[in-house]
Amino acid sequence: MYEVKKLGDFIIDIDQFDYDSTVQMIKAAFSFELWHEVIRFSESLYIRINKLKEDKPNLILKRPLVYYYGYALLMKGSAFKKLRRFDEAKECIRQYSDLSWFENLDQAGLEEVNYYAYISLPNLLEIE
């Protein structure tokens, strides 16, 4: 899964960043309206979180695993919306609208599930 991405004149190997650093990179790309980079970075986070979810290692994260999963979908969907790729944006929204299937949710995880469910409706209405 080793892949190098190019951002302007800088080479960024996003797959080597930890999850919180990847979130920061997504935020930076979003701030600079680099929509294709937001999609790539979000996809990298999404893939790595899915693999982590399957492997279930004893990794300590700053936030619940469901946060990173939902955030990757939220930001990918937001970038698709900015690129006017509405069907793809809707699919991302559909995916993060119900994350209650996530296993081993503690109180913080349940709050993330509720947050993504809450913001999915206005995000979907905005696209419609």
Side-chain angles (χ1 to χ4, degrees), residues 74 81 89-90 92-98 113-128:
L74 170 67
K81 180 181 71 174
K90 285 181 195 177
C92 290
I93 294 169
R94 185 195 64 73
Q95 288 180 46
Y96 70 74
S97 68
D98 180 13
V113 168
N114 291 336
Y115 170 75
Y116 288 114
Y118 177 76
I119 64 170
S120 66
L121 183 58
N123 287 343
L124 186 58
L125 290 173
E126 182 180 13
I127 290 174
E128 293 295 333

Side-chain angles (χ1 to χ4, degrees), residues 4 52 80 126:
V4 175
L52 182 65
F80 282 139
E126 182 180 13

Side-chain angles (χ1 to χ4, degrees), residues 1-6 11-17 40 44 47-48 51:
M1 183 157 100
Y2 190 81
E3 189 173 339
V4 175
K5 303 293 181 196
K6 185 171 174 144
I11 302 291
I12 297 175
D13 182 6
I14 194 68
D15 293 337
Q16 300 303 309
F17 282 74
R40 284 190 203 129
S44 170
I47 289 168
R48 290 185 289 142
K51 182 166 177 29

Side-chain angles (χ1 to χ4, degrees), residues 22-24 26-27 30 42 45 66-76 96 99 116:
T22 303
V23 167
Q24 294 305 314
I26 294 168
K27 289 179 180 182
F30 191 89
S42 297
L45 181 60
V66 69
Y67 162 79
Y68 300 97
Y69 188 88
Y71 186 78
L73 290 167
L74 170 67
M75 296 308 288
K76 191 166 128 180
Y96 70 74
L99 298 175
Y116 288 114

